[in-house]
Amino acid sequence: MTPPSGRLAIFPGSFDPLTNGHVDITLRCAHLFERIIVAVLVNAEKKALFSADERVQIVREVFKEYPNIEVDTFDGLLVDYARKRRASAIVRGLRAVSDFEYEFQMALMNRHLEPTLETVFMMPAEQYTYLSSRLIKEVFMLGGDVRGLVPSAVEHWLRKKQAVKA
Ligand code: PNS
């Protein structure tokens, strides 16, 4: 078997929506790996505010100036997608101890499914450790200020969603 292409990492997630914490992790990864794929989960069952197409559009817009950051979608098992893309690592952000149990379970299950694929955990900048997509949606929809917590493209898209709902 040919070895996986060197230093391609996948950063998978729902990204509903992308936060500055996700951006921070992606940019940190871009220094460590030759190429990064931000892989947006297409999951029809999970109730998302943004469609997969919208999430991809947003992420593409945010990283358009980074030639080594690709944006793609995936469904099914992450390890199957990683094999298909010949990635050597999965990157996940760890914000707080509360993330650890779920992330640990996923990492070990993924390792069970594909032992050659490593999971790398990265910590975002401190000011983003309390951020989550779920909280951003809640705060924004209830009229709170999310400036500085999400890229401006996300603010723009959130306002569009709000206008549709109004
Ligand atoms: O941003 P999220 O929602 O925390 O990301 C979770 C994600 C997309 C990484 C996880 O749900 C996933 O990998 N889903 C794909 C299905 C899969 O491979 N499940 C087994 C994981 S051990």
Side-chain angles (χ1 to χ4, degrees):
M1 189 183 130
T2 36
S5 56
R7 306 187 64 210
L8 166 65
I10 293 177
F11 181 26
S14 306
F15 304 109
D16 183 45
L18 186 79
T19 68
N20 279 350
H22 295 129
V23 174
D24 180 274
I25 297 284
T26 308
L27 297 181
R28 284 173 199 279
C29 284
H31 291 297
L32 281 183
F33 294 92
E34 268 165 33
R35 279 191 304 135
I36 311 292
I37 300 171
V38 180
V40 177
L41 177 69
V42 178
N43 186 350
E45 282 168 40
K46 202 168 163 183
K47 216 185 147 347
L49 176 64
F50 293 100
S51 70
D53 279 352
E54 289 170 334
R55 285 179 275 148
V56 165
Q57 245 186 82
I58 292 171
V59 183
R60 286 217 170 107
E61 195 174 328
V62 170
F63 295 117
K64 62 176 186 259
E65 269 154 35
Y66 296 86
N68 66 333
I69 301 174
E70 179 188 330
V71 184
D72 195 9
T73 55
F74 79 105
D75 57 12
L77 279 179
L78 176 59
V79 291
D80 288 339
Y81 176 72
R83 276 191 205 111
K84 191 177 91 184
R85 298 304 310 261
R86 306 177 61 71
S88 43
I90 291 170
V91 170
R92 292 286 289 170
L94 262 192
R95 291 163 300 188
V97 180
S98 50
D99 280 343
F100 184 77
E101 197 171 336
Y102 170 60
E103 294 298 336
F104 187 71
Q105 283 178 346
M106 273 209 302
L108 291 184
M109 179 58 84
N110 283 331
R111 181 185 280 169
H112 169 80
L113 296 169
E114 179 48 72
T116 63
L117 187 66
E118 293 296 341
T119 298
V120 176
F121 292 111
M122 300 197 64
M123 284 172 291
E126 278 159 51
Q127 69 263 36
Y128 303 132
T129 48
Y130 63 94
L131 266 188
S132 73
S133 300
R134 186 183 62 77
L135 278 183
I136 290 292
K137 284 183 280 195
E138 187 173 319
V139 169
F140 185 84
M141 291 304 176
L142 294 173
D145 188 357
V146 297
R147 259 176 309 170
L149 305 179
V150 293
S152 49
V154 171
E155 273 186 68
H156 171 77
W157 277 86
L158 281 168
R159 276 197 291 272
K160 261 166 85 168
K161 286 279 164 196
Q162 202 177 40
V164 168
K165 286 198 167 188

